[in-house]
Amino acid sequence: MSSNHHHVDNQRDPSGYLETAIEKIIFRSRWILSIFYLILVATLLLVCIKFLQEFFHLATTFWGASDAEFVTGVLQIVDKTLLGNLLILIIFSGYENFVSIIGTARFNPDRPKWMGGVDFANLKLKLIGSIVALSGINLLASFLEIEGVNKDNLGWMVGIHITFVFTGLIFALSEKVMHSNSGHE
């Protein structure tokens, strides 16, 4: 009935046609974002190539590497893995939150359990958490190879990492407060 009423209104009011046309354009414009997600898929492929490159480097230097160099190599591989996980999270969650539900995955038994359950606030929290983890890995790698690290850069890295941690905590607390306040209304 509502769509018929809207249709009748459009017949009486020519501006209704314009309004409907504008709303359709705005609603369909979300599909422009699909280009962004396809580019992120291509970026995931580049991260995979970098991952393989890091692994190849670790494997070829394994026998001559010091413990610190070995751990740094492993941390670089973990870093790329976390980055790949982050990209998948952003691709799936962003697409489903802003473009369309991924229908091909709806009844697939391989569908990740979190898929479809990460809203925009959760996505931001996971993004901040991933940035803190990536920053921590890079900071730890720098500490392991402290001899070759510029001490001024190390101070900046620690400061930036603390800023990320602080920002993540503030954001998580604000989301918790907002969530608990919305439950009382």
Side-chain angles (χ1 to χ4, degrees), residues 32-159:
I32 295 170
L33 285 172
S34 62
I35 296 166
F36 291 75
Y37 296 112
L38 289 172
I39 296 297
L40 285 177
V41 170
T43 303
L44 181 62
L45 180 61
L46 295 177
V47 170
C48 180
I49 292 167
K50 210 49 163 157
F51 174 88
L52 293 171
Q53 183 184 25
E54 290 285 345
F55 177 75
F56 181 74
H57 177 71
L58 179 66
T60 57
T61 61
F62 174 76
W63 295 110
S66 68
D67 286 346
E69 290 169 336
F70 175 72
V71 172
T72 300
V74 171
L75 288 173
Q76 292 300 321
I77 290 172
V78 170
D79 183 58
K80 302 302 178 288
T81 302
L82 287 174
L83 187 57
N85 291 341
L86 178 61
L87 281 170
I88 284 292
L89 182 68
I90 291 170
I91 293 165
F92 283 20
S93 299
Y95 187 87
E96 284 206 336
N97 279 310
F98 298 110
V99 180
S100 181
I101 292 175
I102 300 175
T104 57
R106 186 172 289 163
F107 301 109
N108 190 321
D110 283 341
R111 179 185 170 145
K113 290 180 182 177
W114 56 265
M115 195 173 163
V118 179
D119 62 9
F120 189 59
N122 288 337
L123 180 59
K124 289 188 292 186
L125 280 174
K126 290 182 184 309
L127 178 63
I128 290 171
S130 295
I131 289 170
V132 169
L134 292 169
S135 172
I137 287 172
N138 287 320
L139 188 58
L140 180 58
S142 294
F143 275 122
L144 288 172
E145 296 189 3
I146 196 82
E147 297 85 27
V149 175
N150 180 336
K151 304 304 184 255
D152 292 335
N153 288 346
L154 193 58
W156 278 105
M157 289 175 70
V158 169

Side-chain angles (χ1 to χ4, degrees), residues 1-12 20 23:
M1 180 178 168
S2 176
S3 62
N4 289 340
H5 178 69
H6 192 65
H7 180 68
V8 171
D9 285 347
N10 284 348
Q11 289 177 351
R12 287 188 225 143
T20 301
E23 289 172 358

